[in-house]
Amino acid sequence: MSAPAPRPPSVDSLLGPGGALEEALPAYEHRPEQLQMARAVERAFSEGSYLLAEAGTGTGKTLAYLVPALLSGRKVVVSTATKTLQDQVFFKDLPLLSEKLGLRFEAAYLKGRGNYLCLHRYESFEKDPQFVSREEAKQWPLLKKWVTQTETGDRAELDLPESFATWSRLSTTSETCLGSRCSLYETCFVTRMRKRAEVADLLVVNHHLFFADLALRSSGKRTEGVLPFYDAVVFDEAHALEDAASGHFGCSVSNYRLEELSRDAVAALQAKDERHATLSALAQRVRSHADALFLQAPRALGMSSQESTVALRPETMGKLSGALEQVREGLAALASFAGSEREPELAAIHRRAEEMAEQLSFLEKSESADHVYWAEARGKGLFLRASPIDVAKELRDRLYGALDTVVFTSATLAADSRFDFFAKRMGMYDDEGQPVTRVRTLAVPSPFDFPRQSALYLPTHLPDPSAPGFIEAAAEEIIQLCEVTGGRAFVLFTSLRNMVRAYELTATRLPYQALLQGERPKQQLLDAFRQTPSVLFAAHSFWEGVDVPGDALSLVIIDRLPFASPGDPLVAARIRQIQARGEEPFDQYQLPQAALALRQGFGRLIRTQADRGIVAMLDRRIVTKSYGRVFLSSLPPAKRMEDTTELSRWFNGPVRPVPPVRSIR
C-alpha cells in the first residue's frame, strides 16, 4: 500500500499547539489569541466576507493574517500604515514563514513611484545637473555610481539626507510619469517592480500607495496603476485608513505643483528645437501668474502664519478670482500648444495642465456639499485642497464592489468595546444603517498582564486644560513624574504649541537629555532616546507607529484628551455633516475618535511581556466628566493611581515575577 498523501498545511497545523511554528522556534509558545484570529481570517478568505479584527499588542496578529492569506491561494495585498511595519512583514515575518515553516510563495515589496529613480528624468538631469546647494552637489558622484550598480533604483539603498531636494528631479509621480509612452518604459525600475508584483502571491504596500493607486484607477482618466489586479486586501494598522484615504480621493493644487509643471515644460524640448522658445514662454507665463496667485493668497484667505490652515469658501475664493483666471488661461494656452505635438513628454504636459486648470475651477467654486475645501501653509508651500468629507461612499464605490474579502486589523478598532464607529466611518453600512456586505467582527485581548506591568496615573489637582496656567502646572507635574522613572519618558501633546511651551519650561530643569520633535529627523530622535535616559517631547507622529521596547521607555505622559480640533476644516465639515443628519457629533464622532487616539498613545508603553511602566493622563476631565468613562473603558486594565507617592512606591517597589517571555511577532 502506498503511504497516504500528506495533509496540506492549515492554520491549525502551523500556528496551533504543537504546530510547525512551535517546533521551528524553541522560544515560541502557542498563543490562543493568535490562533483565534488566524481562524477568523481563514474563514473570511474561504467564505468571502469582511472581517474587523482587533488584536491587542502582543497577540501576534501579523502571522495571524499572513498564514491564512498565503494558504488561501488568492492574490492578496497587505497594506500597512508605517514603513516600519511594512519592513517587518517583508523582511522578518515572510522569511520566517518561508525558511522555518517551508511555505512556498512569491512576495513583492512595493513603494510609491517617488521612492524610485526615474531613468528618463535622470538622463535629462545628467545633461545639465543643477543643485540647490553645494552640499547636495557633493552627493552627485556617489549617486551617479549607484545608478550604474542598483538593481532596484530604490532610494533607500542610498544614505541620502531626508531633505535631499534634488531627488524630486530624479524621480517621478503618477502625475509626471510618462507611462508606457516613455522610451525607457521596459527598463524602468517601476515597470520592473510591477512585473515582479504581477507574479507574486502577496504584495506588501502601505496605505498611501494603496489609495493613490485606487484613486488613479477609478479616476476614469488613467488606468495604469502601480499595483496589479488583486483578489483580497488585509489592512493592518487599519485605524489610520480614513486619513490616508481622504488625502487621495480629493485634489490639491500648490505653488510647488505649478512650479514643477513649468520646469518640466521647459525641459520637455531641447533648446535647439524651434518650438522650445514658444513652449518656454508659455511655461514662464504659467509660472509668473502662479507666483502672483500664491503671493496674494495668504492675505486674501486670512492665513495668519506660515504654518496655518483655513477653510476655503466661495466668498473668500472670490477675492482671488482674477489671479485664478490668469493661471487657468496660462494653463489652457500651455495645454493647447502641448496637445498639438506628438512627443510623450508634451502629451504629459498637456494632460497635467488640463487637470490643474480643472481642479483650480473646482477649488474656486468650493460648492460641493460632500467635500471640504481648505488652504494649508507649510513652510514655503501653499496648498489649496479639497477632500471628501466622508470616505465611506468613496470606499463603497471604488473598493468594496470589486472585492469580496477585506480584513481590517489593528490594536485599536473598537471604541467603548464597539466596532460601530469604525465600521460606519469605513462605509460598511449604507446611509440607512444597513450592511453593504457580510461583516464579521472579532476582538482578541492582549496577552500582556497590564495590572502587573502598567500603572495609569490620573491626577485631579491640575487645572482644566482650557484654564489659564494649565501648561505651567503640567510642566511641574512632568518634572515630578520624570523623577519617579529616572526620565525614560515620552511626553505626548495634542498641539505643537503646548509641546514647545512645556519643553521650554522643563528642558533646563530636567537632569536628563531633553529631546524635541522637529529638532532632528524622527529616527535620529528615537536612536538618541534609546541610547541614554531621555525625555522626548513630541506630538502627532509619535502617538502611534513608534516601538521602543525595554527599559528605555518607562513613562508616557499625555497632556490632554486627544479630541480633534473643531477648528480643523475637515473635522468641522464632518461635524456639520453629522449634525445635518440629525445626529450628535460629539457622541457619534468626536468622542469615539478621541478614545481610539488615546489607546494609541497608551500603546507606546507596553510592547513586550518584560516591559513595565506608567501612563500619566494630565487631563482631569477623564475623571471629572461623564464621558471619561468611555476613555477609561477603552484603555487596558492598568492599575489606577492618583498620588505620585503611591506611584513611586509601585514603580520602585518589588516586582512580581515576570512569566516566561513568548516570542512576539
Side-chain angles (χ1 to χ4, degrees), residues 190-299:
V190 173
T191 301
R192 293 188 223 172
M193 173 189 70
R194 194 178 192 279
K195 287 181 176 178
R196 289 193 296 269
E198 286 174 348
V199 299
D201 306 295
L202 188 133
L203 313 178
V204 184
V205 306
N206 58 59
H207 295 342
H208 287 285
L209 173 59
F210 182 88
F211 287 112
D213 183 82
L214 186 64
L216 184 64
R217 290 176 182 282
S218 50
S219 65
K221 297 178 180 178
R222 287 170 282 165
T223 58
E224 185 182 280
V226 172
L227 304 184
F229 290 102
Y230 43 85
D231 301 315
V233 181
V234 176
F235 290 116
D236 200 345
E237 300 175 311
H239 61 274
L241 283 180
E242 184 171 22
D243 288 341
S246 63
H248 290 286
F249 292 153
C251 67
S252 172
V253 178
S254 67
N255 56 326
Y256 291 146
R257 192 174 169 204
L258 285 160
E259 287 169 11
E260 185 176 38
L261 172 67
S262 300
R263 185 177 67 238
D264 289 350
V266 172
L269 293 174
Q270 295 183 5
K272 63 183 179 181
D273 191 305
E274 61 184 14
R275 299 168 295 169
H276 183 266
T278 301
L279 185 62
S280 296
L282 291 171
Q284 182 54 44
R285 178 184 174 188
V286 170
R287 177 70 181 268
S288 61
H289 287 326
D291 288 346
L293 167 65
F294 287 99
L295 183 64
Q296 297 175 39
R299 177 175 293 182

Side-chain angles (χ1 to χ4, degrees), residues 329-624:
E329 288 177 355
L331 289 168
L334 179 62
S336 177
F337 178 84
S340 65
E341 309 301 324
R342 294 189 302 273
E343 290 88 348
E345 293 83 357
L346 292 178
I349 297 296
H350 167 77
R351 169 180 50 77
R352 291 164 62 187
E354 280 197 332
E355 285 183 2
M356 264 188 266
E358 180 182 322
Q359 290 171 356
L360 279 173
S361 294
F362 182 70
L363 288 161
E364 181 180 11
K365 293 175 183 177
S366 301
E367 62 184 9
S368 174
D370 57 1
H371 278 70
V372 58
Y373 301 82
W374 78 101
E376 179 183 5
R378 198 166 65 233
K380 296 180 180 179
L382 181 59
F383 304 79
L384 306 177
R385 303 187 187 277
S387 286
I389 298 171
D390 190 344
V391 301
K393 183 177 184 300
E394 302 288 341
L395 291 173
R396 288 197 294 266
D397 293 345
R398 298 173 189 252
L399 181 64
Y400 298 161
L403 297 177
D404 64 7
T405 305
V406 182
V407 175
F408 304 83
T409 185
S410 170
T412 54
L413 288 186
D416 200 17
S417 302
R418 295 173 62 89
F419 288 92
D420 301 32
F421 172 72
F422 180 82
K424 289 177 181 177
R425 300 302 304 174
M426 288 295 101
M428 278 167 265
Y429 294 93
D430 62 21
D431 295 337
E432 283 70 46
Q434 298 300 312
V436 298
T437 186
R438 186 188 308 183
V439 180
R440 298 188 183 278
T441 62
L442 172 74
V444 293
S446 168
F448 297 152
D449 184 355
F450 284 103
R452 180 189 63 80
Q453 293 181 254
S454 61
L456 178 60
Y457 175 61
L458 303 173
T460 56
H461 61 273
L462 297 176
D464 187 275
S466 60
F470 168 75
I471 198 62
E472 288 75 16
E476 296 302 317
E477 200 75 14
I478 290 168
I479 292 172
Q480 290 185 40
L481 288 167
C482 288
E483 288 178 1
V484 172
T485 59
R488 301 181 294 169
F490 275 6
V491 191
L492 302 179
F493 297 86
T494 57
S495 75
L496 294 174
R497 179 182 298 177
N498 273 4
M499 177 190 77
V500 172
R501 182 58 180 152
Y503 176 82
E504 292 172 344
L505 290 168
T506 60
T508 58
R509 298 172 59 193
L510 289 167
Y512 323 103
Q513 175 177 238
L515 304 169
L516 180 66
Q517 177 182 319
E519 287 191 338
R520 307 184 211 175
K522 183 175 181 179
Q523 191 55 51
Q524 288 186 21
L525 286 173
L526 288 172
D527 290 343
F529 183 87
R530 292 184 179 105
Q531 288 167 6
T532 186
S534 305
V535 179
L536 171 63
F537 293 77
H540 307 309
S541 62
F542 282 84
W543 276 76
E544 59 183 80
V546 176
D547 194 8
V548 185
D551 293 339
L553 179 59
S554 296
L555 171 63
V556 173
I557 304 173
I558 298 172
D559 74 325
R560 59 189 299 166
L561 294 172
F563 288 108
S565 170
D568 179 277
L570 186 53
V571 174
R574 288 172 178 166
I575 289 173
R576 290 194 299 270
Q577 186 185 65
I578 293 170
Q579 288 173 330
R581 295 200 297 257
E583 300 174 356
E584 171 52 55
F586 184 78
D587 292 334
Q588 296 295 317
Y589 173 62
Q590 293 165 282
L591 181 57
Q593 183 193 53
L596 289 175
L598 182 61
R599 290 180 66 193
Q600 280 291 328
F602 188 108
R604 297 315 95 217
L605 183 67
I606 304 299
R607 309 301 297 175
T608 75
Q609 290 190 345
D611 289 351
R612 189 169 178 271
I614 300 164
V615 172
M617 165 49 68
L618 305 186
D619 189 336
R620 61 185 297 172
R621 293 176 298 174
I622 196 170
V623 176
T624 61

Side-chain angles (χ1 to χ4, degrees), residues 40-48 65 68-69 72 74 76 232 234 405 407:
V41 176
E42 182 181 47
R43 180 176 184 178
F45 277 108
S46 64
E47 69 182 13
Y65 64 70
S72 70
R74 308 176 76 182
V76 181
V234 176
T405 305
V407 175

